[in-house]
Amino acid sequence: MTRVTEKILTKVISKRKSASHKGDYGRVLLIGGSENYGGAIIMATEGALKSGAGLVAVACHSINLNALHARDPEAMYIDWRSSDLAELVPKVDVIICGPGMGTNEFGKKILMMLCQKITSKQTLILDASALDLIATNHELIPQAAGLVILTPHQMEWQRVSQLRIPYQTDSANLSTLVNLFPNKNGILVLKSNHTHIYDSNGNIYENTTGNPGMAVGGMGDTLAGIIGGFVAQFGSNIDSVLAAVYLHSLAGDIIAKRDYVVQPTKISALLPKLMKEFENQ
């Protein structure tokens, strides 16, 4: 097992070139945000925006439009029931699916659409509701994606893997990941007090940052957004994922020095400053 340290940030976060534009930093599409869980997709959106994704589009229930644009005017909106969504999917670099999406039949149809539309040039991040739907049917995993990143907490992983939490050992988790992704295009970010990250090549990593103040709703949604932002900018690879996980928890540790509870939106707000510090190194 490899321990993830601060070195991953200086390795991944690169100085931006003068002659560049927003398209150079990735196109991210987020899908989620039902009538009752608009906050989840908005927090994921902020994670992607604040971590530097060049273009961010959000497909959600129309009831969330005003809140989304009031909070994050940089994000483009798409009604998730519009046919425009299926047309947009092949045109983006990274898709984040699941935060606040819900597990009803409509959520299932979204995953089925992704199975049909996603390409090998794209990265897919599956979180929250998407994981619960996949737990009922592994054929809902869009295997055609170039890289699929699963971001469950331990109970979600129990449902997907059928591994009860006490039996979620590194070897069992890795074996299950390999079985889920026979094409070796999967990464598992298993969230816990010390998050473990697994890739299909048999590598295991342990995050060394994080604190109990981060045990609040929306923390995982924010992490999914940050991972999406990093992959969009810095490449679809394990290092981008590790850097996103480490930076998310590092920001939480900094906030926890002064706050008893760490709000996910405060983590997102701190990201541009932290990324600038490590870019300068």
Side-chain angles (χ1 to χ4, degrees):
M1 181 187 295
T2 303
R3 288 169 60 83
V4 185
T5 67
E6 190 174 286
K7 291 180 180 179
I8 194 66
L9 299 182
T10 55
K11 179 180 180 181
V12 171
I13 301 173
S14 57
K15 187 177 181 65
R16 291 194 167 190
K17 297 178 181 178
S18 176
S20 63
H21 56 82
K22 58 191 176 185
D24 293 327
Y25 302 109
R27 295 169 171 83
V28 177
L29 169 64
L30 299 101
I31 306 174
S34 64
E35 300 95 321
N36 298 322
Y37 300 105
I41 200 66
I42 290 173
M43 284 184 282
T45 299
E46 291 199 359
L49 285 169
K50 298 290 188 178
S51 62
L55 288 164
V56 175
V58 181
C60 62
H61 193 286
S62 58
I63 199 171
N64 298 309
L65 172 58
N66 290 340
L68 174 67
H69 277 176
R71 179 85 192 189
D72 300 306
E74 303 91 343
M76 296 173 284
Y77 161 78
I78 301 164
D79 187 329
W80 67 355
R81 293 187 180 275
S82 169
S83 60
D84 292 342
L85 176 57
E87 295 177 9
L88 178 61
V89 165
K91 300 176 183 179
V92 300
D93 303 303
V94 179
I95 300 165
I96 302 167
C97 181
M101 183 172 69
T103 56
N104 57 16
E105 192 65 23
F106 181 71
K108 181 179 178 181
K109 288 180 180 178
I110 286 178
L111 283 175
M112 292 172 65
M113 179 271 291
L114 290 177
C115 286
Q116 296 172 353
K117 294 290 185 177
I118 206 161
T119 73
S120 61
K121 296 181 180 180
Q122 297 174 291
T123 295
L124 175 64
I125 299 166
L126 296 173
D127 186 50
S129 301
L131 295 169
D132 286 336
L133 285 166
I134 286 168
T136 66
N137 182 2
H138 288 173
E139 292 185 3
L140 291 173
I141 300 175
Q143 294 280 4
L147 179 65
V148 181
I149 304 169
L150 308 180
T151 59
H153 55 62
Q154 288 177 294
M155 184 54 70
E156 289 169 334
W157 182 236
Q158 176 174 298
R159 291 192 283 266
V160 171
S161 67
Q162 296 300 302
L163 294 170
R164 292 169 54 198
I165 292 175
Y167 302 99
Q168 291 177 8
T169 63
D170 284 333
S171 60
N173 292 334
L174 190 57
S175 176
T176 302
L177 178 67
V178 171
N179 288 335
L180 283 174
F181 296 97
N183 296 326
K184 294 188 176 182
N185 61 333
I187 292 177
L188 169 64
V189 179
L190 184 55
K191 296 175 291 192
S192 64
N193 63 325
H194 288 294
T195 293
H196 283 193
I197 303 97
Y198 308 81
D199 69 21
S200 297
N201 293 319
N203 299 304
I204 305 172
Y205 306 86
E206 182 182 36
N207 185 39
T208 56
T209 50
N211 63 84
M214 297 173 69
V216 298
M219 197 59 70
D221 304 309
T222 299
L223 175 59
I226 297 170
I227 293 173
F230 268 56
V231 169
Q233 289 172 92
F234 305 123
S236 185
N237 54 61
I238 187 65
D239 282 347
S240 295
V241 176
L242 297 176
V245 171
Y246 186 90
L247 186 67
H248 170 260
S249 294
L250 176 63
D253 285 350
I254 292 170
I255 295 167
K257 291 179 180 178
R258 64 177 186 270
D259 294 350
Y260 182 74
V261 175
V262 179
Q263 289 179 266
T265 50
K266 287 187 177 181
I267 285 181
S268 294
L270 187 56
L271 295 178
K273 179 181 178 182
L274 282 177
M275 292 177 72
K276 189 65 178 179
E277 290 179 5
F278 286 98
E279 171 235 34
N280 288 337
Q281 294 181 26

